[in-house]
Amino acid sequence: MTITDAPAATRPSSTVHDGVGSSAARPDGVPKVDGSFIYSSDEYHDGSLWGATLRSPHPRARILGIDTSQAAGLDGVRCVLTHRDVPGSKIFGMVVYDQPVLAFDEVRFQGEPVAVVAAIHPEIARRACELIVVDYEELVPNTDPEVSLTGKVEGLPSGGLVRHVRIRHGDAGAARALADVVVGGRFEMGTQDPAFLGPESGLAVPLGDGGVELYVSTQDLHRDQRQVADCLDLPLDKVRLVLSGVGGAFGGKEDLSVHIHACMLALRTGRPVRMVYSREESFFGHVHRHPAIADVELGATRDGRLTFTKVRLVLDGGAYVSTSQVVIANGCYFAAGAYNVANVEIDGFATYTNNPPCGAMRGFGAVQSCYAIESAMDRLAAALDMHPLELRARNAVGEGDILPTGQAVDGPAPVQEILAYLRDLPLPADVDRPAADMRVLPGGVGNVTRGEGIRRGVGYALGMKAIGFSGGKDDTCTARVTVWIRDGEPVAEVYCAGPEIGQGVVTLEAQVARTELGVRTVELRDKDTDIAESGASSASRQTWMTVGAIVGACQLVREEILARAAAVLGRSGGELTLDGPEIRDLDGRPLVPVAEVLGPEAVSYDFTYRHRPTEPVDPERGQGNAHVAFAYAAHRAVVDVDVELGLVRVVEMATAQDVGKAMNPAAVEGQIEGGTVQGLGLAVMEELQITGGRVRNPSFTDYLIPTMLDVPPMPMKIFEFPHPDSPYGLNGVGEPPNLSSTPAILNALRDATGLELPRAPVRPSDLIEAAPAPGAPAEDTAQSET
Amino acid sequence: MQGSGSVLRPASWGDAVLLRSQHPEASPICGGTDLMVDVNFGRARPGALLDLTAVAGIDSWELMDGGRTVRIGAGVCFARVIDELAGQCPALAQAARTVGSPQIRNRGTVAGNLATASPAGDSHPVLLACWGRVEAESVRGLRLIDIDDFFVGPKRSALEPDELIRAVRVPAATGPQQFAKVGPRNAMVIATTSFALNLDVAGRRAGTGIGSAGPTPLRARGAEQMLEEALADRWDGPRGVGESVAQEFGALVAEAASPIDDVRGSAAYRRHALAVLGRRCLSWALADLEAAGAA
């Protein structure tokens, strides 16, 4: 694929080492491997206290009273705080304020924070929490989203309905009457957890002026800062946030966790306060992916052209809004998949219940809808007796097609190329089962089969998602680039608040500065709230936005240096280029060292980048040009299933994705592999099991994520069709591989077993064909849980 | 740490036993792979720790009874069981391969597995199938506990409060052995259910063990009896003992279980999986037996 850059006439002429397009090494790579990297849980300050959180054991209860006297009297305890001690707003939230900093009146989910303690030792803080006496009147939790969406549930905000999204495009009813083939089905998805390894943690340091400094793991420093300041009743300039090492996020670190609590404890005690959630607490301390119920109906002509798509999508947001109203919109925007279909009717409901709160997670609603539509597409392919790839290719969206929201697809839409790669890629060889190493067979090291019961399946799925914030948000990102001379050589410093959450934006910051300025040495300043905002590391947007801001700032710096050189040389700036330590003419001849031009002065510019404007969709028909850009990926999954034991070995996950420009190919591969594996987990093992509002498996013993023995080879094709609106033609990368991975595996499992498999993740018992074993009394299934 | 006692670190077995009797509040710790999970989850706050890692002599194994029994010291980790005992104790080595991650296998021990006495302990079905015996020692003396008497309830064993496990005695294999474990992940998973089979050709008897399908690890006595009758005089060449025997054996294994529904699987699935594991393990063992007879 040809890669065309943005106009580069004034960029450095010579090849830049570790510039854009190279697989430059991560600056934090070695420290993360050798253990010297400072994660937010490692933050330390002399004389710091430890904070701990008391959480509700009940999914729903009225708080009749809280007695903290015993806890406060425990030796080593420095303070115990409840909702009465919240200085400012008693509620917070990402989009709307609705979640109590500390619970009052009623707790609405199991694990809701009720009180916080600061003590000289973490164990003392935990024991103090146990001494707090909360008088609860337990209430019956509302846990059924199908009931909540009626909007008539007493005890839930808005009667239980967060938002109903409607998208109407064409006339699905009329098309249904005319369709040659109609298929339908209900597809459900359990609750996935982001399962980041680095738990919520941070360090709050009180400042002499009554302000506070918070070192914390987050996806958005400035949105956090606003909420923290509001709840502390402090002006923004008295609340300074500094990004600490983030040990994974996936959307789960967009909502606040330790932030306000640590600051309250630090301000009250006048001492620095560290807070680190335990693994179990972490499962209650962050939002999850919304569990979903999707009803899909598709109609097509006999030759496999989609004529209508109807989807009803229910996402349970749990106890508080978080981003549910946006997640349901995003789920609905892409509920008809990456297909060109003239008649679409989509109804999406986000609900309140007393289940744990759900919010942002990689894919942001589009994971659930991609799973549903791609499952239904395979049913349609079966009804038409058509190869699933052929059906997808016949209906794949292309440039100029109109989406269900009325927006025309612009920018590259190389879906045919993506599907062709998967079609032409040879299938992996069969395993020589009796001779095979058990680790390549279903069940892995469990030694459960030597080939007995194994069937192979192949499945495909295609996904499409918007990149960046949709719906009319004025989204900005600011970067500052400063150049000065050190030891005769120009050095660039890049300063931008865009959080590094593992995706590698820090690597790109340096790559872009090297490419734009030709400098060898780039220093990255700590990320904090002293500079204007970058927006969240979410929606696959941070690379696009940060690179846009740095390119803009570099351009201003470059122009200034060239203008100064032009003055020194008595030539026009347009005749000069900046190439690392030298100013050259357009033929590359050196004219004067940059050191001579700058002398002891630094050149520094801020630049605020904006993507193209978007607009909200209308509430009645969901029409509007809501999106900045679109990205596409597809997977072909090959699985081996032991149909007697219901165990799975994913044999191969082939994938193709358009990334516009692979800014750092190794990082792009990492994102695609990671997104694919997270989707694999959701297909076959990852589920937070929740019964009656209670989480049954809050541990990595029982919330299973894939190990290396569950991860197959991942042949991939990275397409680079430059995006017309973005810096370097890049596109967002992080979320698309997470969409199609899960349904591709589900479709492969369906292919292997012939079963409908209407729910993800698939459990072993879902995959066994036989009736329960002989001798199994029927009443077994009614035995109670332990 | 406030409210917590000391770490006791005996250098000899004698001191360890003495300290055990003097400090009943102290939790013995060797690999720490169970205890530390409980501590980290706030489920255990031991008043003190009795650290056995410095005790001389417990981190080795030896052959007894002219090579007929393997005596595995309490400090021998799973990684060494895999590397050093796959010949004498093939099923135990196979079970050890399924324990946790490499790091866990470098720390965790068979004795620690026994001391926790979880119904899901990976060693337990094998020790049942092999008729292992546990050396339990206190200041009152050393006694041998038959494995059939060891597990008395969920996470409860026959150990007295002043006793420490010094070693585990496992009869060396005289015929084919199998261990198989089902879990929804291909490594590093707690058993949804597991099964062990031991064909003791020299003793003309069949041993079985079931994990994670009852309040304790279980023996499938009916399956053992059926198999011993089916093999009768054909232990040295089980020709004619075919698929129908394996099928019936699997059904009897499933029948011996008393599983429940929990977060790791349903009772019905566990019973179903045990029937499959019993059938497959026996068919592999019979094939091995036949191959050995033909050789």
Side-chain angles (χ1 to χ4, degrees):
Chain A
M1 201 48 49
T2 0
I3 304 160
T4 54
D5 263 2
T10 59
R11 278 191 189 140
S13 50
S14 59
T15 314
V16 178
H17 182 63
D18 281 349
V20 166
S22 77
S23 287
R26 300 179 62 104
D28 55 0
V30 169
K32 279 179 173 169
V33 172
D34 73 14
S36 59
F37 184 78
I38 305 292
Y39 287 100
S40 52
S41 50
D42 302 320
E43 294 284 358
Y44 174 80
H45 195 290
D46 280 342
S48 54
L49 300 171
W50 287 85
T53 313
L54 175 71
R55 296 172 181 276
S56 166
H58 309 296
R60 187 181 173 212
R62 193 165 291 125
I63 297 176
L64 303 175
I66 306 174
D67 179 359
T68 61
S69 54
Q70 260 185 290
L74 186 67
D75 206 20
V77 170
R78 290 293 175 267
C79 78
V80 183
L81 305 178
T82 68
H83 66 92
R84 287 184 290 269
D85 302 296
V86 179
S89 171
K90 289 184 188 299
I91 51 176
F92 70 96
M94 277 179 63
V95 187
V96 295
Y97 282 15
D98 72 332
Q99 184 160 357
V101 175
L102 291 166
F104 50 90
D105 298 342
E106 193 176 306
V107 288
R108 280 172 32 196
F109 72 98
Q110 181 200 22
E112 181 161 353
V114 176
V116 287
V117 173
I120 58 170
H121 190 281
E123 180 63 15
I124 296 174
R126 284 191 286 270
R127 290 182 189 198
C129 284
E130 292 171 16
L131 294 175
I132 298 170
V133 181
V134 185
D135 188 5
Y136 290 109
E137 180 194 343
E138 276 192 70
L139 301 170
V140 177
N142 299 292
T143 59
D144 185 351
E146 290 279 8
V147 176
S148 290
L149 67 80
T150 61
K152 290 173 183 163
V153 180
E154 272 183 56
L156 290 175
S158 326
L161 180 63
V162 176
R163 185 177 180 186
H164 176 192
V165 174
R166 290 180 196 82
I167 296 176
R168 298 289 185 271
H169 182 67
D171 187 342
R176 189 184 193 288
L178 297 172
D180 294 335
V181 180
V182 174
V183 299
R186 168 167 283 203
F187 303 98
E188 296 187 33
M189 182 176 274
T191 305
Q192 189 180 26
D193 189 87
F196 37 73
L197 297 188
E200 298 83 347
S201 42
L203 168 72
V205 182
L207 302 177
D209 63 357
V212 65
E213 211 167 49
L214 177 66
Y215 298 80
V216 73
S217 175
T218 179
Q219 294 179 245
D220 188 343
L221 289 163
H222 289 80
R223 189 168 48 204
D224 291 3
Q225 182 197 26
R226 288 191 287 272
Q227 296 173 73
V228 173
D230 284 347
C231 295
L232 296 177
D233 197 24
L234 287 174
L236 280 180
D237 61 8
K238 289 275 197 290
V239 178
R240 179 170 185 266
L241 266 69
V242 184
L243 184 71
S244 187
V246 181
F250 312 110
K253 285 178 182 160
E254 291 199 64
D255 294 81
L256 299 186
S257 58
V258 301
H259 306 54
I260 303 168
H261 299 159
C263 291
M264 282 171 60
L265 293 169
L267 288 169
R268 180 64 72 94
T269 59
R271 299 266 297 272
V273 173
R274 301 172 73 177
M275 291 187 84
V276 181
Y277 288 176
S278 72
R279 176 59 57 202
E280 181 176 19
E281 184 175 21
S282 177
F283 277 99
F284 297 97
H286 58 245
V287 295
H288 316 289
R289 189 190 294 290
H290 291 75
I293 304 164
D295 294 298
V296 184
E297 197 175 62
L298 301 176
T301 59
R302 186 66 59 200
D303 64 348
R305 310 275 164 190
L306 282 170
T307 55
F308 79 92
T309 299
K310 283 176 78 167
V311 180
R312 175 182 178 275
L313 178 66
V314 180
L315 300 181
D316 180 21
Y320 295 99
V321 172
S322 180
T323 48
S324 284
Q325 75 282 63
V326 195
V327 174
I328 187 63
N330 202 58
C332 289
Y333 294 148
F334 300 100
Y339 304 110
N340 183 28
V341 53
N343 304 291
V344 178
E345 189 178 311
I346 293 162
D347 285 279
F349 302 88
T351 59
Y352 291 103
T353 58
N354 294 110
N355 290 321
C358 293
M361 190 176 162
R362 197 178 199 170
F364 206 71
V367 162
Q368 292 91 329
S369 51
C370 180
Y371 154 75
I373 188 75
E374 290 303 286
S375 298
M377 284 296 279
D378 264 31
R379 282 201 189 169
L380 180 59
L384 291 164
D385 197 20
M386 183 177 285
H387 191 280
L389 263 186
E390 178 58 29
L391 177 65
R392 287 171 171 84
R394 279 190 197 189
N395 294 285
V397 75
E399 264 181 86
D401 287 344
I402 305 298
L403 294 172
T405 50
Q407 182 168 355
V409 172
D410 59 355
V415 182
Q416 296 297 351
E417 287 85 344
I418 287 169
L419 294 175
Y421 168 75
L422 296 180
R423 185 191 61 217
D424 298 339
L425 187 72
L427 283 163
D430 255 356
V431 177
D432 177 11
R433 281 156 191 157
D437 184 320
M438 64 173 90
R439 288 174 296 183
V440 304
L441 298 175
V445 295
N447 183 42
V448 295
T449 179
R450 295 182 181 173
E452 298 94 330
I454 297 182
R455 281 199 220 141
R456 178 156 290 192
V458 181
Y460 300 86
L462 167 66
M464 169 184 189
K465 187 190 180 293
I467 299 300
F469 293 149
S470 300
K473 185 176 167 58
D474 178 25
D475 187 18
T476 65
C477 178
T478 296
R480 178 177 305 156
V481 174
T482 307
V483 172
W484 72 96
I485 302 298
R486 187 165 67 203
D487 301 331
E489 276 229 24
V491 174
E493 183 194 72
V494 178
Y495 180 27
C496 178
E500 167 61 47
I501 57 171
Q503 83 279 43
V505 72
V506 287
T507 322
L508 289 178
E509 288 175 352
Q511 285 180 259
V512 171
R514 286 188 207 107
T515 294
E516 292 294 321
L517 300 171
V519 294
R520 278 191 281 246
T521 308
V522 179
E523 298 185 345
L524 303 177
R525 191 158 147 187
D526 283 351
K527 294 172 177 294
D528 57 37
T529 49
D530 293 345
I531 189 170
E533 67 186 289
S534 61
S537 286
S538 67
S540 303
R541 65 178 280 288
Q542 197 60 265
T543 292
W544 180 321
M545 300 298 290
T546 293
V547 171
I550 294 171
V551 167
C554 284
Q555 207 156 329
L556 295 172
V557 166
R558 192 168 58 219
E559 281 165 13
E560 162 97 25
I561 293 173
L562 291 178
R564 290 193 193 190
V568 169
L569 295 166
R571 303 171 69 146
S572 116
E575 299 167 37
L576 306 174
T577 63
L578 171 64
D579 185 13
E582 297 287 345
I583 307 290
R584 297 175 190 269
D585 67 15
L586 297 181
D587 296 323
R589 278 186 295 272
L591 298 174
V592 60
V594 176
E596 236 177 273
V597 175
L598 283 186
E601 285 178 46
V603 174
S604 183
Y605 278 97
D606 282 14
F607 184 83
T608 298
Y609 179 84
R610 287 180 157 80
H611 57 65
R612 73 177 186 189
T614 63
E615 57 190 41
V617 298
D618 78 84
E620 288 310 312
R621 298 182 63 81
Q623 301 295 297
N625 293 319
H627 305 300
V628 182
F630 306 102
Y632 311 86
H635 282 86
R636 181 188 75 191
V638 179
V639 300
D640 279 344
V641 186
D642 181 336
V643 295
E644 290 186 312
L645 288 172
L647 302 180
V648 176
R649 183 71 165 94
V650 180
V651 175
E652 185 190 88
M653 288 296 285
T655 182
Q657 182 171 339
D658 175 34
V659 303
K661 162 79 180 170
M663 300 290 285
N664 181 318
V668 168
E669 287 172 24
Q671 283 291 307
I672 293 174
E673 289 180 352
T676 301
V677 172
Q678 207 156 25
L680 183 158
L682 180 55
V684 296
M685 63 182 84
E686 288 191 42
E687 182 176 6
L688 209 58
Q689 299 183 45
I690 300 161
T691 307
R694 291 175 199 273
V695 179
R696 298 165 64 205
N697 56 338
S699 74
F700 280 154
T701 307
D702 285 314
Y703 183 86
L704 300 180
I705 55 178
T707 70
M708 279 310 287
L709 286 189
D710 302 286
V711 173
M714 285 179 264
M716 67 174 75
K717 174 71 178 174
I718 298 168
F719 288 102
E720 296 184 283
F721 291 93
H723 201 283
D725 295 335
S726 68
Y728 294 97
L730 71 82
N731 204 351
V733 172
E735 291 171 296
N738 198 208
L739 266 59
S740 43
S741 170
T742 307
I745 293 171
L746 265 289
N747 284 337
L749 295 172
R750 291 164 181 143
D751 180 52
T753 62
L755 299 169
E756 291 199 346
L757 303 179
R759 190 175 191 282
V762 174
R763 312 209 137 259
S765 52
D766 299 332
L767 287 166
I768 52 178
E769 298 179 315
E779 66 268 25
D780 267 5
T781 49
Q783 268 187 276
S784 63
E785 288 163 20
T786 50
Chain B
M1 188 187 296
Q2 199 197 41
S4 291
S6 47
V7 175
L8 309 166
R9 199 153 196 268
S12 72
W13 182 254
D15 285 351
V17 169
L18 191 61
L19 287 168
R20 180 75 171 135
S21 70
Q22 291 166 344
H23 297 273
E25 81 286 1
S27 290
I29 182 166
C30 194
T33 57
D34 267 328
L35 181 62
M36 291 314 295
V37 172
D38 279 349
V39 169
N40 286 336
F41 274 75
R43 294 188 293 246
R45 279 177 181 150
L49 293 177
L50 178 57
D51 177 6
L52 302 175
T53 56
V55 172
I58 59 169
D59 61 344
S60 61
W61 59 269
E62 61 192 328
L63 296 177
M64 305 171 63
D65 309 331
R68 289 195 300 277
T69 300
V70 187
R71 179 175 181 270
I72 304 169
V76 176
C77 68
F78 287 112
R80 290 185 57 201
V81 172
I82 298 167
D83 292 341
E84 300 168 25
L85 293 174
Q88 288 96 343
C89 306
L92 190 62
Q94 176 52 38
R97 285 185 197 103
T98 74
V99 172
S101 61
Q103 294 90 331
I104 298 292
R105 293 194 289 276
N106 284 333
R107 298 284 313 177
T109 63
V110 175
N113 221 199
L114 280 166
T116 299
S118 159
D122 291 317
S123 313
H124 307 337
V126 177
L127 296 176
L128 280 164
C130 297
W131 302 281
R133 286 191 294 173
V134 182
E135 287 185 21
E137 191 163 351
S138 70
V139 289
R140 296 173 290 116
L142 178 78
R143 65 176 177 134
L144 286 177
I145 307 173
D146 276 345
I147 195 70
D148 284 290
D149 301 326
F150 187 80
F151 304 107
V152 299
K155 294 206 171 188
R156 287 190 295 119
S157 74
L159 283 181
E160 297 293 338
D162 63 346
E163 283 181 321
L164 287 172
I165 297 175
R166 181 168 191 167
V168 186
R169 297 186 187 179
V170 186
T174 69
Q177 295 187 346
Q178 289 294 336
F179 173 81
K181 164 173 151 181
V182 169
R185 182 159 76 179
N186 289 320
M188 255 178 83
V189 68
I190 307 267
T192 301
T193 191
S194 62
F195 178 68
L197 172 63
N198 172 28
L199 297 190
D200 176 13
V201 175
R204 296 295 198 247
R205 51 184 192 161
T208 60
I210 294 169
S212 293
T216 66
L218 299 166
R219 180 181 295 285
R221 286 191 197 283
E224 291 173 352
Q225 279 165 16
M226 185 282 290
L227 182 55
E228 285 165 6
E229 283 163 23
L231 282 170
D233 55 355
R234 288 181 288 180
W235 278 91
D236 296 313
R239 263 165 285 278
V241 183
E243 182 61 17
S244 66
V245 171
Q247 192 83 34
E248 189 187 347
F249 180 78
L252 289 169
V253 169
E255 209 170 277
S258 60
I260 55 166
D261 291 338
D262 68 15
V263 75
R264 292 177 193 144
S266 68
Y269 173 75
R270 287 182 157 109
R271 221 184 267 276
H272 169 87
L274 279 170
V276 175
L277 293 183
R279 167 162 52 79
R280 289 184 184 177
C281 283
L282 179 58
S283 66
W284 302 335
L286 290 174
D288 289 349
L289 200 57
E290 197 152 335

